[in-house]
Amino acid sequence: MAYILKPHFTRKYKIYSKDDAIIPAELFKAECVAPNLDGFPYPLPSKKSEYTCYAEGNNGVVWYGATTGLTRYDKDAERIEDRIMFFSAPRHLAVDKVDALLAEGNDVWVLTGDKVSHIEMVMLTCEEKAEILLDETNKYVMRRGMVAQRGLQEIGNIESIYPYASSDNDGTFTAGHAIGEIYHYAVLRDKLGVNHPRTQKALKYATMSCEACLLLMYIHGRPEGFIARSYHLPNEPVPDDGLFYIRDGKVARLSETTASKERGIVGQEVACDYPIPERLARLYRDLGFTDDGIAYKADTSSDEVTSHYLHMKIAHDILGPVDPELDEIIKDACKRTMNHIIDGGMEFIDVDRPTTWAKWSKRYFSTSEFGYVDAPLNAGEVLSYLKVVMHITGEKGIWEKTYNKLVEEGYAELTTKHYDRFFQGALACGCAPEEELMYGDNFLATASLWLLCTLEKDPELLATYRKAYEGWKGTVLREHNPGYEFPFLLSVPGTDIDIAKACEYFYRSEMTRYVCATEVERHDTAKKNKRSGGGWSEYEISALLMPDERTVHKYDRNPYAVTPKEWQPGRSVEGCYVYTFAYWIGRYFGIIDEE
């Protein structure tokens, strides 16, 4: 039976200058009296001595202002997680010191120095929130179907987006977005009918992001089945963060970046004479560009490959029956890429060498310190690709032969070794295991093991893959992220998943993906581990905060991390896929429903 989601209060906020005419004059006359917090029944985000004022709102809600932020207290809230809410700078307030409060119904005006915040508590369903977030993404983040994030030229002004953007993992993030929108379309198709305007809108954007993903599998023009991380049009700056080939006729040349100079391969040439399907090329040709001058990013990782295969399987199943042309491109793309991996000896070859992080060979597993720890995840990844190719094409041949060979070589059993090898590797480095988590691996494990548990029909192998998935419980399920927990539940029936706790993510996500740090020195949580390296350091806190009280990020970041405000002052907006991916999976498979 589905867990039923109810309408819920969601934060909406805006910061004004103190002299803005919209601000009620009563705010500046409000009496500031410190609240009596003796015997308060819950831990508070600020010390009791730091609270300087309060205001009473509707239905017994009290707002408490402190020198270190704003607290909302609803003693009668149905969910215990909602009884205490915290608001802080620079996301909800201009500064953390609250000077005065004025409650208006469910909302509050907050004076902080020369700025005033207006915080509204808006009642929304989780589906309404999904649609609001999607509209924001389509307007501010999406570029030619790709969805990652977009920088802002002015802090806090989402209208000031840069006309261009770049991402190290465009394929991964866009695939996650496309999957969410494909399931979005399928839910509305079944609920409202295929011709309903909402259904058609969902189909439009699902198809566009699907095409954008597939374009990355062709934009390079290489005869073999390579995948680009991202691409840039000739009028967009090429960032100095990796290897970029620029197309010129039938060859592409490696541009001058720090990485290409360090390796001494500036100007390296590679063929680019394989035709790009016209349907995909329209994403940039309709804007007036040709193939020449396009810069695509190489040194592709297993992140992209794994995400593409999960996306192609789902797109084939749901979009394929209504879009045969798209389905044929999917079949060609997945076969060409798998052939490239097989021809490369289970490694992704970039011109003259394997890429840094896309290796699934026994050589890598046995000769690299990273390979020993990566092996369980990477073994599952390549087995899942082969399963997807057979599922999509209906062919066996070389795919089944290779799959069986890898199973005979121990790849299936190797998938069950993650827990042991991860902790062995961390301890060998002399650090606490939880400090060495690579959070992006949680998504890759989810993608590959969900595929294997869905597509494998042999009972013994299926049991092995479910055992492998169980081995990720300690790293995946600590996040209480429905984007991980729903696929886990679908893959390992009977597993102990707290659906109500997972759904806190939907209730307490805001209606914007504006990126701005929220964490401060809170009195109700403690710092613990510190991860460091490459000039950065990261503290964890002792409790997982609600999504509206922690920094917005993708699935590849630590949700327990304390983000320094100087790192995220408010200069970007993220895509919505971390919400919509999970939400529409849950709706499609009947794990959740709306009241």
Side-chain angles (χ1 to χ4, degrees):
M1 180 168 300
Y3 180 86
I4 304 301
L5 297 166
K6 300 178 181 180
H8 189 268
F9 276 127
T10 299
R11 308 175 187 209
K12 183 179 180 181
Y13 49 88
K14 187 171 182 179
I15 300 176
Y16 298 92
S17 295
K18 185 178 179 180
D19 57 358
D20 198 296
I22 198 173
I23 301 169
E26 290 81 1
L27 173 65
F28 304 106
K29 303 172 186 176
E31 185 179 6
C32 290
V33 177
N36 180 2
L37 296 171
D38 292 342
F40 193 83
Y42 298 99
L44 285 162
S46 302
K47 296 178 182 178
K48 291 180 180 180
S49 60
E50 293 173 334
Y51 288 98
T52 59
C53 57
Y54 71 98
E56 297 178 356
N58 274 0
N59 302 316
V61 169
V62 184
W63 299 87
Y64 295 114
T67 56
T68 52
L70 174 69
T71 299
R72 178 183 185 270
Y73 174 50
D74 181 1
K75 64 181 177 61
D76 297 320
E78 180 179 347
R79 301 170 63 255
I80 193 170
E81 297 83 5
D82 300 331
R83 292 179 191 169
I84 297 288
M85 293 186 183
F86 187 56
F87 304 76
S88 62
R91 189 173 181 84
H92 309 110
L93 310 174
V95 295
D96 285 320
K97 185 178 181 296
V98 176
D99 296 318
L101 294 171
L102 176 67
E104 283 187 342
N106 295 321
D107 312 329
V108 69
W109 293 89
V110 189
L111 176 63
T112 57
D114 62 353
K115 302 288 185 182
V116 172
S117 292
H118 186 216
I119 297 171
E120 300 177 69
M121 302 302 290
V122 181
M123 187 65 72
L124 292 175
T125 67
C126 295
E127 182 173 335
E128 287 173 331
K129 193 182 300 184
E131 298 288 0
I132 291 169
L133 288 168
L134 177 63
D135 287 343
E136 178 186 76
T137 292
N138 290 340
K139 183 176 181 180
Y140 297 110
V141 182
M142 180 177 284
R143 59 192 206 286
R144 305 184 299 278
M146 291 186 292
V147 173
Q149 70 279 326
R150 188 73 73 98
L152 305 179
Q153 299 177 67
E154 300 173 21
I155 290 178
N157 181 7
I158 199 171
E159 298 290 343
S160 70
I161 57 171
Y162 282 96
Y164 51 84
S166 65
S167 171
D168 193 53
N169 291 317
D170 260 331
T172 297
F173 305 140
T174 303
H177 181 81
I179 290 166
E181 291 316 297
I182 292 169
Y183 283 130
H184 182 188
Y185 157 72
V187 169
L188 296 186
R189 175 199 63 193
D190 296 343
K191 176 183 176 183
L192 304 175
V194 69
N195 294 320
H196 193 281
R198 284 184 61 197
T199 307
Q200 286 298 305
K201 177 185 174 183
L203 177 60
K204 171 187 173 180
Y205 286 109
T207 302
M208 183 183 295
S209 285
C210 181
E211 292 171 340
C213 286
L214 292 169
L215 179 57
L216 293 174
M217 305 178 81
Y218 290 94
I219 193 71
H220 48 79
R222 299 185 187 185
E224 70 275 12
F226 193 71
I227 301 175
R229 282 180 173 268
S230 183
Y231 76 95
H232 299 273
L233 297 177
N235 66 335
E236 297 174 327
V238 177
D240 186 14
D241 68 344
L243 302 178
F244 287 87
Y245 288 86
I246 300 179
R247 295 185 56 138
D248 181 13
K250 293 186 177 182
V251 298
R253 296 178 181 85
L254 195 58
S255 65
E256 184 175 313
T257 62
T258 298
S260 61
K261 287 190 292 185
E262 287 176 351
R263 286 175 51 177
I265 52 175
V266 176
Q268 183 184 65
E269 294 186 354
V270 60
C272 64
D273 54 359
Y274 192 87
I276 300 171
E278 179 59 31
R279 173 168 174 172
L280 307 183
R282 286 202 304 262
L283 288 170
Y284 59 90
R285 289 177 185 166
D286 284 356
L287 301 176
F289 296 95
T290 66
D291 299 348
D292 286 347
I294 283 180
Y296 69 86
K297 189 170 187 178
D299 198 24
T300 304
S301 75
S302 64
D303 300 30
E304 282 74 37
V305 186
T306 304
S307 300
H308 280 296
Y309 271 94
L310 177 63
H311 157 253
M312 288 190 291
K313 188 270 181 188
I314 294 166
H316 164 77
D317 288 350
I318 295 176
L319 299 184
V322 298
D323 196 336
E325 179 190 26
L326 185 70
D327 203 36
E328 287 304 311
I329 297 174
I330 291 171
K331 291 175 182 177
D332 178 66
C334 77
K335 288 195 293 186
R336 292 180 67 243
T337 301
M338 195 67 242
N339 273 325
H340 177 74
I341 294 171
I342 293 172
D343 292 344
M346 296 300 139
E347 297 185 0
F348 220 57
I349 306 301
D350 191 350
V351 184
D352 61 348
R353 66 171 69 185
T355 64
T356 306
W357 296 114
K359 297 189 266 272
W360 308 273
S361 65
K362 291 197 296 182
R363 180 201 68 79
Y364 174 62
F365 297 165
S366 61
T367 61
S368 164
E369 60 178 330
F370 292 112
Y372 176 79
V373 177
D374 288 345
L377 173 59
N378 290 25
E381 288 174 349
V382 74
L383 289 171
S384 74
Y385 308 160
L386 289 160
K387 276 294 184 184
V388 170
V389 177
M390 288 186 277
H391 171 78
I392 287 176
T393 65
E395 302 170 3
K396 293 186 177 179
I398 184 63
W399 321 124
E400 185 176 55
K401 180 181 178 181
T402 303
Y403 181 82
N404 290 339
K405 178 174 178 288
L406 294 180
V407 170
E408 290 171 5
E409 292 177 352
Y411 272 55
E413 185 61 29
L414 188 54
T415 64
T416 67
K417 307 297 184 184
H418 162 71
Y419 182 89
D420 295 336
R421 292 197 177 194
F422 170 73
F423 279 83
Q424 289 170 11
L427 295 174
C429 294
C431 57
E434 59 267 36
E435 294 181 21
E436 291 305 307
L437 288 179
M438 166 56 188
Y439 284 84
D441 285 354
N442 289 346
F443 186 84
L444 302 183
T446 296
S448 55
L449 291 169
W450 184 20
L451 284 169
L452 287 173
C453 292
T454 300
L455 297 174
E456 184 55 68
K457 304 305 178 187
D458 180 271
E460 291 187 9
L461 284 175
L462 178 56
T464 297
Y465 298 143
R466 286 176 173 170
K467 178 183 176 183
Y469 215 161
E470 292 274 4
W472 282 83
K473 265 190 171 182
T475 54
V476 172
L477 300 189
R478 78 190 289 264
E479 297 193 30
H480 298 289
N481 184 329
Y484 295 154
E485 297 196 346
F486 291 172
F488 198 103
L489 186 64
L490 294 167
S491 303
V492 189
T495 194
D496 184 20
I497 298 290
D498 187 340
I499 301 299
K501 187 165 184 61
C503 288
E504 290 172 4
Y505 195 90
F506 303 129
Y507 284 136
R508 292 293 297 272
S509 288
E510 293 181 345
M511 61 175 80
T512 178
R513 296 284 296 163
Y514 167 58
V515 181
C516 189
T518 58
E519 291 89 344
V520 295
E521 295 287 338
R522 292 180 62 146
H523 185 60
D524 56 352
T525 57
K527 287 183 179 179
K528 47 177 200 172
N529 301 315
K530 180 180 180 180
R531 293 156 35 109
S532 61
W536 60 272
S537 62
E538 175 182 273
Y539 283 98
E540 279 196 355
I541 55 174
S542 58
L544 183 63
L545 300 176
M546 292 292 103
D548 51 12
E549 296 180 15
R550 62 182 190 248
T551 300
V552 168
H553 52 64
K554 303 183 183 73
Y555 282 152
D556 60 344
R557 293 293 182 268
N558 181 3
Y560 289 85
V562 177
T563 304
K565 294 178 181 180
E566 60 270 21
W567 288 11
Q568 298 287 5
R571 286 199 177 274
S572 63
V573 57
E574 288 274 6
C576 65
Y577 91 96
V578 298
Y579 185 99
T580 53
F581 174 87
Y583 179 79
W584 293 113
I585 286 174
R587 287 289 303 274
Y588 180 80
F589 287 101
I591 300 170
I592 57 173
D593 205 345
E594 294 280 358
E595 188 176 56

